[in-house]
Amino acid sequence: MFENFPTPIILAHRGDLAHAPENTLASFAQALQKGADGVELDAKLTSDGHVIVIHDSTVDRTTNGKGRIQSHSLESIRQLDAGTWFNEKFSGEKVPLLEEVFELIGRDKLINIELTNYATPRDGLALKVCELIKRHNNQKQIIFSSFFPSNLKIAANTLPEIPRGLLAMPGWMGVWARSFGFMFGDYQALHPHISSISQQQVQRVHRIKRRVHVWTANTPTEINQLKEWGVDGIFTDDPQTAVRALGRGG
Ligand code: G3P
C-alpha cells in the first residue's frame, strides 16, 4: 500500500485540523483537496454500538452538546452540531460515522484509524471497526494505530494484513512504547511524538525493517527535518503547509 505514495506520507491529523472542525467530513474533504496522502481519524463507539469519529471522551469541546460519548446513542449524537464551535461557516457539520468517512475518502487515499476507546477499553471497538472494514473491503487503504497494545492485538488477530502503528506518548510516558514495547511487539510502525524522535531512533526502527510515522509536524522546519531523518510519514494539522514544504503539488 505505501509503495503508491511518496515518502514521507502526509496524513492530515483529524483532517485539515488547522482550518476546519476536526474529525468532520468537511475537514477530511478539505485535507484531500489540499493534497494530503490520507487522513488520520479517531474512532469510538456510541452507547448503541455504532462506530463514530470523534477525538475526546466527551462531546463538550467539539460539539454544542454535553456528556460522555458512551452516554450518547447514535441518534442523540447526530443531533449535535460539530462545526459551529470552530466557525459558523461549518454550522450543521455532524459527528460522522466511520462508514461515511470511508465513502467520502474513496479508495485511493490512506486512512489511519486510531482506536481511541481509552475510557472504555473493553467495549469491542476494534472488532466493530474490523467488521466495517471487511464489509467495505477497503483493507488496502487502512493503517491502525492506538496507544493501547490490546486494541492492536485484536486488530492483528482479525485483519492481520492491515499495518499497525503503536502510538507513543511524548517524554518519559512513552519510553516503554518507544523501546521494548515496540521492538518486541507485532507492529509495522512506531508512531512517536515529534518531541521524542531523533535520527538515531529512526535508524534503529529502520534496522528492524519497520516504519516511523511522527505526530504532529506543522511547520516547514519540522517537516523538512523529519524528511531529512528519513521518517516514513508525518501527521500534520496543516496539510497544505506540508505539501508545500515537501515541494509537492505544484
Ligand atoms: O495519530 C496521531 C496522533 O495525533 C495521536 O494523537 O491527537 O489523534 O489523539 P491524537
Side-chain angles (χ1 to χ4, degrees):
M1 70 198 289
F2 296 115
E3 60 283 359
N4 299 326
F5 296 91
T7 305
I9 53 170
I10 299 171
L11 295 170
H13 182 221
R14 308 180 207 163
D16 189 12
L17 185 143
H19 306 104
E22 62 183 62
N23 280 322
T24 61
L25 294 181
S27 185
F28 297 128
Q30 236 171 260
L32 296 192
Q33 278 156 18
K34 291 180 174 180
D37 299 309
V39 301
E40 185 265 359
L41 58 81
D42 300 292
K44 283 192 179 58
L45 288 185
T46 60
S47 63
D48 48 349
H50 294 274
V51 183
I52 54 163
V53 177
I54 190 164
H55 180 269
D56 296 0
S57 57
T58 73
V59 297
D60 301 12
R61 181 179 62 86
T62 57
T63 75
N64 60 346
K66 286 241 169 299
R68 303 190 74 76
I69 307 297
Q70 72 263 31
S71 67
H72 283 275
S73 65
L74 180 63
E75 195 190 343
S76 93
I77 225 152
R78 296 290 271 186
Q79 282 164 15
L80 305 179
D81 181 316
T84 307
W85 71 274
F86 187 86
N87 187 306
E88 278 196 3
K89 73 176 181 197
F90 293 104
S91 94
E93 280 299 318
K94 301 287 176 212
V95 173
L97 284 159
L98 180 60
E99 282 173 288
E100 292 176 312
V101 182
F102 287 171
E103 291 299 332
L104 175 88
I105 303 288
R107 302 269 161 170
D108 298 338
K109 300 284 180 175
L110 297 166
I111 305 175
N112 183 119
I113 301 177
E114 184 181 343
L115 300 164
T116 65
N117 52 341
Y118 303 125
T120 53
R122 291 169 189 276
D123 64 1
L125 172 71
L127 275 180
K128 283 253 165 76
V129 170
C130 287
E131 274 167 30
L132 286 180
I133 294 167
K134 279 190 202 162
R135 202 180 313 150
H136 211 78
N137 196 24
N138 64 339
Q139 289 87 335
K140 290 205 171 81
Q141 70 183 147
I142 307 289
I143 307 163
F144 281 126
S145 65
S146 190
F147 287 103
F148 281 4
S150 52
N151 277 330
L152 298 175
K153 192 155 178 55
I154 294 167
N157 289 336
T158 317
L159 287 174
E161 68 273 33
I162 295 186
R164 297 169 296 282
L166 181 65
L167 276 159
M169 297 290 277
W172 65 268
M173 278 170 45
V175 168
W176 185 85
R178 288 192 301 274
S179 55
F180 296 107
F182 178 70
M183 295 293 173
F184 296 107
D186 179 17
Y187 310 110
Q188 289 65 50
L190 175 65
H191 289 196
H193 186 258
I194 188 168
S195 64
S196 305
I197 188 73
S198 63
Q199 189 165 23
Q200 288 70 25
Q201 174 82 339
V202 174
Q203 287 167 350
R204 270 199 293 274
V205 174
H206 283 169
R207 270 200 290 277
I208 58 168
K209 304 269 182 272
R210 304 194 211 167
R211 298 171 61 91
V212 184
H213 301 151
V214 178
W215 55 288
T216 305
N218 295 324
T219 68
T221 310
E222 289 169 340
I223 290 161
N224 280 307
Q225 169 82 101
L226 294 173
K227 181 183 161 77
E228 226 169 85
W229 289 351
V231 309
D232 306 282
I234 58 159
F235 296 94
T236 182
D237 297 339
D238 189 352
Q240 186 162 49
T241 294
V243 165
R244 288 183 179 156
L246 293 170
R248 296 184 200 157

